[in-house]
Amino acid sequence: LCNKFQQRNNLPLRCMFEGRQGKPFALNRGIGEAKGEILAFTDDDAIVDTHWLTSISKAFSTDVSISGIGGRVEPFNENTITFRTYKERTLLSSPYHLYNPLIIGVNMAFRRNVIGAVGDMDPQFGPGTKIGTCIDLDFIYRVYKRGFKLVYLPDVCVYHNQLLRTQKDIQSLNQRYMIGRGAFYCKYIIRGDIKISLMAFREIYIILKKIIKNLLKGKPIKFNIRCLCNLMTGAIYKLTDLENHKVK
């Protein structure tokens, strides 16, 4: 497939093999091999807009203060549940922008000096790992925390072609996101990060409030309990990984 694509286009495409399982290792291999000053990221279930690369290039050349961008994620089919269709240019000025993140891994780009400053993707997050998600959330927060300018630009667009066929698939994906967020919270809480600690407290407080409210009204609380358990599971996974690294 790569060879056929290369024959039909003038892009300097290179296909590489990464033997270690997991998306973070693949991304870090790509980062290490890339030669350009702007590194753009998308996923295997995305179809980029015709003007995707030119829009990214224009964004960085027009505003030299921008260090990273994310863009619009339109649904490609009716099964897509992960999308970002905001129409307004938005500066990421608060960590609360991460709660329902504007910038996600399927459509983002950074200057190379950003990668050099914050380091590679965390190999404990993302598909192929026990935590399974939030590799982009973790990386973007590290970029934000270092004071780099991050902007959401609706003109930079991809189409997300998710293959979620059943309600069970959707529930499983949402569960993985919750587990990932629990691990993300845990990573920064144990580092004494006040802002992330407050975000975690806020989410847990909202869930507990819903549980009490539903109990008083005689409504089911199974979903709310599951959400709380997923956050805790993610935190346990992260703590377990940290202990394993200490042993090694």
Side-chain angles (χ1 to χ4, degrees):
L1 287 173
C2 290
N3 289 337
K4 288 179 180 179
F5 182 84
Q6 206 164 16
Q7 291 168 10
R8 296 197 308 266
N9 296 273
N10 295 321
L11 290 173
L13 178 71
R14 287 186 295 145
C15 184
M16 289 159 288
F17 173 75
E18 171 56 59
R20 291 170 295 179
Q21 289 288 321
K23 182 177 179 178
F25 295 115
L27 289 178
N28 290 336
R29 175 68 184 273
I31 290 169
E33 296 283 348
K35 305 298 182 184
E37 289 303 313
I38 304 297
L39 281 72
F41 300 83
T42 189
D43 286 343
D44 59 352
D45 57 358
I47 298 167
V48 300
D49 182 76
T50 305
H51 305 291
W52 187 62
L53 288 177
T54 53
S55 296
I56 290 172
S57 178
K58 181 181 177 181
F60 284 105
S61 60
T62 302
D63 187 347
V64 295
S65 69
I66 290 178
S67 296
I69 64 172
R72 199 155 39 95
V73 182
E74 294 282 353
F76 183 77
N77 57 50
E78 62 183 12
N79 294 321
T80 300
I81 65 168
T82 303
F83 50 85
R84 299 292 182 275
T85 57
Y86 309 116
K87 305 298 182 183
E88 299 295 327
R89 174 188 170 111
T90 306
L91 174 69
L92 270 72
S93 56
S94 165
Y96 284 99
H97 281 135
L98 301 172
Y99 186 76
N100 185 21
L102 289 173
I103 300 177
I104 55 178
V106 69
N107 188 11
M108 62 184 190
F110 303 91
R111 296 189 191 275
R112 176 171 289 280
N113 68 304
V114 171
I115 311 288
V118 305
D120 288 342
M121 305 287 177
D122 190 329
Q124 292 180 352
F125 287 95
T129 70
K130 185 163 58 175
I131 293 169
T133 59
C134 289
I135 184 174
D136 46 357
L137 176 65
D138 174 73
F139 181 77
I140 291 163
Y141 180 64
R142 284 191 280 139
V143 175
Y144 164 82
K145 197 171 181 181
R146 289 295 296 266
F148 289 106
K149 184 177 179 180
L150 294 168
V151 181
Y152 169 85
L153 299 170
D155 292 340
V156 179
C157 180
V158 304
Y159 300 89
H160 208 182
N161 187 24
Q162 280 181 311
L163 298 176
L164 300 174
R165 297 181 176 85
T166 66
Q167 188 64 31
K168 188 176 180 180
D169 291 336
I170 296 172
Q171 290 174 352
S172 177
L173 180 63
N174 287 330
Q175 179 179 342
R176 293 198 299 273
Y177 283 146
M178 292 286 288
I179 291 173
R181 203 153 65 243
F184 169 77
Y185 288 151
C186 180
K187 174 178 178 177
Y188 292 98
I189 287 172
I190 61 179
R191 295 182 179 190
D193 191 309
I194 300 299
K195 291 180 179 179
I196 298 302
S197 298
L198 290 173
M199 283 179 63
F201 173 80
R202 178 176 178 269
E203 183 164 5
I204 293 171
Y205 170 77
I206 290 172
I207 295 172
L208 290 174
K209 188 176 178 181
K210 287 179 179 178
I211 290 173
I212 295 171
K213 185 177 180 180
N214 288 340
L215 281 172
L216 292 174
K217 290 186 176 182
K219 293 183 178 180
I221 60 171
K222 186 177 179 180
F223 173 77
N224 308 112
I225 294 293
R226 190 185 302 126
C227 289
L228 200 59
C229 288
N230 288 337
L231 288 174
M232 295 301 107
T233 299
I236 292 169
Y237 282 169
K238 187 62 182 175
L239 290 172
T240 302
D241 284 337
L242 288 173
E243 286 301 317
N244 289 338
H245 279 284
K246 285 180 183 178
V247 170
K248 292 176 183 178

